[in-house]
Amino acid sequence: HKLKSSLRSTFLPTIPSKVGDDIKEGERRRQDVLAQSGYLKYMICDNLQDLSTSLRSVLATQRILEGVGVGRTGATALSATLNFLIRDGCGMIASLLFTSLAASSFRRNVKTWKYFADCMVDIGITLEIIAPSVLSSSRLSGWFLPLLCLGNVCKALCGVAAGACGGAMNLFWAMKLMGTEEGISEVSAK
């Protein structure tokens, strides 16, 4: 029972108890609020998606390193560095342009932008995983760097959209779970 309670307090926000609630009654109320609000379901799905993205990102990083020549004789550090500079530069420019064009609509369309961010990161990671495969074809080998850049642009768009929507989503859950904006730090931390 202590382990279960410890896990709950680590991963779930604390719902204020009503005056006069005993410990068991307060815990039961907390579980009801978390389940009925949809927060628990949302967090499970969101964390599974985050875990999946993290695992695919590891695979993408491995594929990119293979693509730039890590472990291959004849590959140069300069070539790999230039590939990464160009790729990262494209992502930075895309972030700036996207922010300047879309920033005013993030607050109004939070769900749409959250979905957009999730799709963009999936597309970006997929492109990064696919990019090294084109190196084996002489006709397609010139597409390696453009695919890496496009993948990083997609991930940059995800970062901007997800970051912009995160605060609004946390505020929504704080208001829904605790009835006040003051719970935003609790929701954000967990």
Side-chain angles (χ1 to χ4, degrees):
H1 182 65
K2 264 191 167 184
L3 177 64
K4 197 175 185 181
S5 178
S6 178
L7 287 172
R8 273 194 204 115
S9 67
T10 301
F11 294 107
L12 298 173
T14 303
I15 308 297
S17 57
K18 291 182 179 176
V19 176
D21 278 355
D22 65 8
I23 293 173
K24 285 186 180 182
E25 193 174 316
E27 184 58 33
R28 193 172 20 254
R29 182 180 168 295
R30 177 178 182 225
Q31 289 175 13
D32 289 346
V33 168
L34 290 170
Q36 291 170 3
S37 67
Y39 181 79
L40 201 53
K41 183 179 178 183
Y42 168 77
M43 286 311 297
I44 289 169
C45 292
D46 192 54
N47 284 315
L48 285 174
Q49 195 263 342
D50 287 347
L51 177 63
S52 169
T53 299
S54 295
L55 294 173
R56 288 178 295 120
S57 292
V58 170
L59 179 62
T61 300
Q62 178 189 5
R63 296 282 294 149
I64 291 169
L65 291 173
E66 289 171 7
V68 296
V70 172
R72 196 173 57 219
T73 55
T76 66
L78 178 61
S79 173
T81 302
L82 289 174
N83 278 314
F84 276 97
L85 285 174
I86 293 168
R87 179 194 80 151
D88 292 348
C90 287
M92 286 181 212
I93 291 169
S95 291
L96 294 172
L97 291 173
F98 183 59
T99 300
S100 70
L101 295 172
S104 63
S105 72
F106 288 137
R107 177 81 170 142
R108 290 188 311 269
N109 305 305
V110 175
K111 289 180 186 178
T112 302
W113 286 114
K114 170 73 168 127
Y115 182 69
F116 172 83
D118 290 343
C119 290
M120 284 295 102
V121 75
D122 291 341
I123 292 168
I125 291 170
T126 301
L127 289 171
E128 289 180 341
I129 290 172
I130 291 171
S133 301
V134 301
L135 291 172
S136 60
S137 167
S138 59
R139 286 184 319 168
L140 299 175
S141 64
W143 284 94
F144 173 72
L145 186 56
L147 285 174
L148 277 187
C149 290
L150 185 57
N152 205 44
V153 164
C154 289
K155 288 176 16 178
L157 298 181
C158 164
V160 170
C165 294
M169 293 185 79
N170 289 339
L171 181 59
F172 167 81
W173 286 115
M175 293 296 294
K176 189 162 187 166
L177 296 172
M178 298 167 200
T180 176
E181 294 176 358
E182 292 177 17
I184 193 167
S185 59
E186 177 84 12
V187 172
S188 297
K190 304 206 175 168

